[in-house]
């Protein structure tokens, strides 16, 4: 038997990106699986978690060809590794990213860079110092097919000029109280949850378009926030809330208004209204788990997505595929450290506004004036 | 550096099923890609198409490790191959399946087995003769997450006793007239398109449940069909239609009513209403491409799925994954040759009813009485 | 003070139609209220019910100016009365209608004319003998704003040529068993419930268009029906069913497929799919009581219409208004005795088909061949 | 012939409220028609408009028994008139309402009381001085069946404790530029359009519940607004905008966030999300003209309501019926002058916030601190 391609070599194997994943918690392991099994152009050569049981759990899932480690440095020092996905706890994001950049590894970093802006600044500098290294921040919504469709409508002029984004990130209420503990190290609801809404708004509203605002560093005019504790009284200790509203006035004349909460009784509900001068788009106005309607004594209904894992399952796989394409095809990353840094700055300004009950204005250098 | 798993072998690579795909046309190549890239427990070791340009096209897409052939027999004779997916033209389905079964290969066969019942019978016999070989027919809807969710509701008693299925398979109108040519060798609209609706009805209505009807071979009481030519006058030559209705009265007291057409101006629209004594389920009442609503001068709207490829993209990948699991885990196939044979028999009876304008009754042996 | 119109008479009071309602049961009283309070161009001068308690109940609701009777003849002999709405029990429809026509009263008759075709024939003749008297049959769906919108789309060519209607009349399951009793005198499910679907199909599919079929009396080619008892075993006695399917092949090449049931657990669910060569319309794909979505532990849901009273509340008022306009403005009635007669004939043929398990064909005179 | 009720008088005619309508412009004439034809318990005895052509137009529509005037005083001085609906231009609302109250007429006043708070204060006082006179303000949304259903869910505890309202009043873009002219005398977008959202929020969030806040005059903690000119550059002259956002922090710990615009390209789109601790309600998430879906080359779609007239047609009729019931049955009005006054005060504070780009706080007397 002679294989049609067997020996003559005209069947070129596309080069595969040598990928490693740092952090093998729930999301990290999912990312690692996505790289290993659902990213044809990548190969998961290594994965690591400082917590040995997580590594053990990962062994049962990942390919045998993936080398497993309990030291992140071992991976970052490994010459074979070309790209790393950082999915460790937030506190280590900044330092690992900087190390990775210095080691010349491309980085796909789970959001946020850090819980405060100051810790994020060195990451931005490190990235700027190595333009040969691609650093992308994993704002997963951007990689969801519905958001991508909406963005395509926006950029091809289908809805005219986009002037307003109204969105919501309503997380399922968790009666275990986990969120209260988590909140303490998360930077608060605007930094932890609102950052997604801020990122989508900046993207859809084209707030940093160099053509429209060529010499202007100031992207935001002012922000205002308001919040309440609805279901987690213990949040009062950390100064956080479980339901909050934000308004962001951008310098290009557009506006964002979003709502974030941890109190949804009907499931994970993320939606986004995009107002253009010629049309409005509405991404996911009512959540659904699938395409089935149930008609019974409770009315006409559908189940909802219990968490972001069901809602953004495909988007997480798209994210690593697109990042892989970016590197193999030498394209610009669709969401940069700069994007994440600007979003963080807005989130921090919103947190300040919420605490002072006053708007926060931004100066000409693009910095929030935190009085 | 020492890999946590590297040499000590405690990280077991799960065994991968050695898979081959026969037929590399549009769907065949998609199947092959799904096996190669989206089926973690399978490895695409070989693929073949008798038409050399299709092989060449596949080379650009499939992994280098996949050996490519222009002879189906080469693949079927290859000892390494454990399972084959047959996605060749319908006329060769039966003979290739029999060969594969005889060669001891597990088979995932694209529907239908054949365009007539007689040609399908030997396949059924071959499969029965080799219980060690798993043969599954690729009725893709069964592997769609929404149909699976609905089926789970049905089998867990959530909707009471299911008594009626109403469904539709409305294919997008193709102005090129391709369908007229295609129709001639397709067996007609009931065999080619209706077979999916028949399969879903048999599945959801539990028509061959050995518990409820232990010694009964007769599954169908009678069928009735009606049809019209709406947009393709040339179909008159082949005695086919482009819009048809069917009623199937099952022996267990349940009923199916479906509509098939090739005349949909708004896209590919497949829906299924499942009536139970306690609730009704509706799978995909109105088609949508994604989760975006557009609000503009045309009203409030969403785009639809242009073809089955967008609608069942994930289901095709699920199908090969589930087939792979079936083999590796020694489970029964969820949809058997017997299922496909029974569905074909009903499709042929419906075609006869349509032509004679009379119902077709079934005898006690389960055979249609084609007067 | 001088009224701007007071005495000088240039403010013409539009003439009001002198209306009477026969039958003051649940629907009759609602009709009477609609005439009295929601029909600006009509005046309810009289109302009657042979059952005195119904009259007493009506007194509390209707205007004092309405004279109330326990004899239908008293109303029909009253010279002041110009038009009557007949909402008595079905058995008296035909005889009262004939009397009313002979007395020169315009008639709005609740469907059906009668439970069998023979009893309806004299009504048809009586109506034909008095072209000066307007007789309209109250197929209420035609007067619903959504059906009217759909019909407008159809007649203005927006959906191309209409070729298929698929509809459903799913009535809420009534655990009291009332329906079993009611069934005995109702003519069966096709006559009682299916008649609405038949009427809508005839209307939307233009089956009696004299332009397209000028010299043809035959409107229907053949009909086929199938049915099951799902929840009311006692129906077996009267030969009726609580879930049934029908296919009607019309002589103009169009088709109707409908489902009627008394077994809906989620409420009153009436929908209609209208297939045209350029577009499809779907009237009420999923039922809803109002515009509110509830998002809670049961998912995303809305309440449904419990009965036809909520679904067609506005349509019943429209119906009497349109009938009133018809008379005052000298227009043709939108739905005639002939329409109702033809629909009845089809319903009876479907009942025959269901019982014989064979299609019923129609002869060249337009009569069903009931073998 | 003897009428069952004719002479013996046991059939009591319910007393009818003697109603008059002031202002016969587009909405006024509709109100007058609703009173005349769709309000069984009321009688339209008089109607007036200072503009003679409007009276002439009304003559063709209203009953002959309605006396028509060009002087509002003539109506207010007419002893027969028990209640008046004031639908004149906003500038005359306050003075006419005060006159009517002093004349002892019950008043249904179209919103707003006035474009500024100071002019509204005397109306509030006049109403307080005559507790025997009922004064209701026509916030029409409260009388829509969907809002009433939602309110019923809220007050019966179905959604737990309500803590947040998010709503939108998106008016159809009018290319004639009428809105720019209109804006000058309207008080601006918050007063003219936002007042509806404010009223619904106050209602649903129970902000003035004397039980929860018995001795507290302060209902609002602070408000913040932001706005943009999207399509009407000429609005800059009057300091108004055509798209605006507002956040209201209420003293009882609840919050409202709304969006008002005049720039909707897809029609009149009013929605309201009501967040409770146990469930969320969504009133009209996507607008629709009727129950028909169109499936064609533009996707799956429905037409929208072009204006508030289609959306709130039934609500306007409900409003006058409920007001009539209130008087005839001696009940409290569901929406008082006090409610409208509080809403106006919030609207004015939002306008101030928008102009100063700072939040407006309220003092302990419930007055906004307009710095």
């Amino acid at each position: 038997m002679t294989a049609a391609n067997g020996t003559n070599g005209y069947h070129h194997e596309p080069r595969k990106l040598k990928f490693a994943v740092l952090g093998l918690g729930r999301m990290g392991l999912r990312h690692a699986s996505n790289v290993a099994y659902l990213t044809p152009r990548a190969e998961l050569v290594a994965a690591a978690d400082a917590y040995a049981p997580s590594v053990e759990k990962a062994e049962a899932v990942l390919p045998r060809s993936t080398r497993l480690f309990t030291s992140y440095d071992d991976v970052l020092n490994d010459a074979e590794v070309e790209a790393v996905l950082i999915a460790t706890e937030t506190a280590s994001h900044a330092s690992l990213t900087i190390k990775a950049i210095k080691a010349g590894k491309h980085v796909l970093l789970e959001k946020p860079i850090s819980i405060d802006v100051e810790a994020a600044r060195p990451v931005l500098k490190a990235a700027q110092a190595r333009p040969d290294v691609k650093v992308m921040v994993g704002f997963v919504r951007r990689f969801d097919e519905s958001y991508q469709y909406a963005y395509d409508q926006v950029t091809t002029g289908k809805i005219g000029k986009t002037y307003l984004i109204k969105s919501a990130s309503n997380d399922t209420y968790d009666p275990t109280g986990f969120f209260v503990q988590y909140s303490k190290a998360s930077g608060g609801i605007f930094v932890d949850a609102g950052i997604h809404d801020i990122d989508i708004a900046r993207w859809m509203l084209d707030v940093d378009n160099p053509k429209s605002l060529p010499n202007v560093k100031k992207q935001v005019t002012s922000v205002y926030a308001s919040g309440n504790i609805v279901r987690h009284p213990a949040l009062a200790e950390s100064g956080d809330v479980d339901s909050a509203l934000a308004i962001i006035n951008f310098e290009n004349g557009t506006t964002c208004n979003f709502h974030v909460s941890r109190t949804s009784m009907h499931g994970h509900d993320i939606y986004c209204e995009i107002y253009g001068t010629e049309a409005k788009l509405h991404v996911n106005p009512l959540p659904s788990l699938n395409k089935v309607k149930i008609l019974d004594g409770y009315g006409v209904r559908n189940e909802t997505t219990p968490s972001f894992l069901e809602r953004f399952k495909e988007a997480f796989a798209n994210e690593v595929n697109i990042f892989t394409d970016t590197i193999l095809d030498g394209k610009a990353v669709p969401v940069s450290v700069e994007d994440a840094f600007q979003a963080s700055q807005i989130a921090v300004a919103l947190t300040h506004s919420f605490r002072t009950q006053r708007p926060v204005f931004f100066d000409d250098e693009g910095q929030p004036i935190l009085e």
Side-chain angles (χ1 to χ4, degrees), chain A:
Chain A
M1 156 179 148
T2 311
N5 66 332
T7 52
N8 59 15
Y10 66 79
H11 177 51
H12 303 290
E13 178 72 354
R15 181 170 99 67
K16 290 201 171 192
L17 184 70
K18 307 286 185 191
F19 219 124
V21 171
L22 304 187
L24 293 167
R26 188 171 63 155
M27 263 320 296
L29 186 52
R30 179 175 280 234
H31 281 307
S33 294
N34 285 345
V35 172
Y37 302 123
L38 301 175
T39 311
R41 302 183 74 190
E43 185 186 349
L44 185 70
V45 295
D49 198 295
Y51 183 60
S54 290
V55 175
E56 221 162 312
K57 203 172 167 194
E59 276 192 310
V61 174
L62 299 180
R64 190 166 194 247
S65 55
T66 302
R67 286 170 295 132
L68 298 176
F69 302 87
T70 50
S71 153
Y72 301 130
D73 284 345
D74 280 356
V75 175
L76 294 174
N77 293 330
D78 186 340
E80 187 192 19
V81 171
E82 297 174 280
V84 293
L85 187 160
I86 297 175
T88 55
E89 67 283 6
T90 298
S92 61
H93 282 189
S95 61
L96 284 173
T97 303
I98 292 168
K99 272 189 194 173
I101 292 169
K102 288 185 176 166
K105 314 298 188 199
H106 303 294
V107 181
L108 171 48
L109 173 62
E110 259 291 349
K111 66 93 218 173
I113 307 177
S114 64
I115 62 167
D116 64 276
V117 173
E118 290 321 304
R121 227 178 273 276
V123 179
L124 185 57
K125 278 188 189 156
Q128 285 163 342
R130 284 291 298 261
D132 60 314
V133 170
K134 292 181 191 302
V135 186
M136 179 170 121
V137 181
F139 285 116
V140 69
R141 290 184 201 172
R142 290 207 191 195
F143 304 99
D144 172 69
E145 67 166 330
S146 293
Y147 282 89
Q148 293 218 326
Y149 175 90
Y151 186 66
D152 187 60
Q153 298 281 308
V154 166
T155 55
T156 56
K158 297 277 180 11
I159 69 167
K161 183 175 164 3
T162 304
Y163 61 89
L164 172 65
I165 299 285
K166 287 159 56 184
S167 66
S169 295
N170 292 148
D171 259 358
T172 310
Y173 171 63
D174 173 0
T176 67
F178 164 78
F179 168 60
V180 175
Q181 276 313 108
Y182 174 78
S183 152
K184 290 174 186 168
S186 75
I189 199 164
F190 295 104
V191 170
D192 188 54
I195 197 115
H196 283 292
D197 297 88
I198 297 167
D199 179 61
I200 292 296
R202 291 186 70 259
W203 187 43
M204 295 282 185
L205 294 172
D206 196 24
V207 303
D208 60 355
N209 188 336
K211 280 179 221 149
S212 65
L213 298 165
N215 302 308
V216 175
K217 289 189 176 172
K218 186 178 180 178
Q219 296 182 1
V220 175
T221 310
S222 65
V223 305
Y224 175 80
S226 167
N228 288 97
I229 294 176
V230 173
R231 275 196 164 268
H232 305 85
L235 283 177
E237 290 172 40
S238 54
D240 202 359
V241 290
D242 53 10
S243 179
L245 298 163
I247 292 177
I248 308 167
N249 300 296
F250 290 109
E251 194 67 6
N252 68 358
T254 65
T255 313
C256 169
N257 183 190
F258 71 82
H259 173 218
V260 277
S261 77
R262 310 288 195 181
T263 54
S264 171
M265 301 306 284
H266 65 272
H268 182 74
D269 190 352
I270 307 291
Y271 63 76
C272 184
E273 299 170 76
I274 305 160
Y275 286 76
T277 47
E278 300 300 333
K280 172 183 166 178
L281 303 177
H282 201 323
V283 183
N284 209 20
L286 294 166
S288 61
L289 183 59
N290 53 41
K291 294 175 181 296
V292 180
K293 291 284 175 189
I294 304 167
L295 297 90
D296 63 9
Y298 298 107
V300 178
R301 62 196 182 103
N302 59 260
E303 288 205 32
T304 65
T305 36
S307 79
F308 69 98
L309 293 172
E310 295 79 19
R311 173 64 185 87
F312 293 107
K313 188 181 156 194
E314 288 83 10
F316 283 115
N318 284 349
E319 183 180 279
V320 288
N321 275 280
I322 287 173
F323 176 66
T324 300
D325 291 350
T326 295
I327 295 164
L328 293 178
D329 302 340
K331 294 186 292 192
V333 291
V335 47
S336 67
V337 177
E338 172 75 24
D339 286 318
F341 180 79
Q342 293 288 346
S344 288
Q345 213 163 39
I346 294 170
V348 167
L350 282 167
T351 307
H352 190 80
S353 171
F354 155 63
R355 287 183 180 151
T356 61
Q357 301 184 56
R358 255 87 185 170
V360 170
F361 294 84
F362 280 57
D363 66 21
D364 289 346
E365 294 303 304
Q367 301 297 312
I369 306 164
L370 304 176
E371 289 160 343

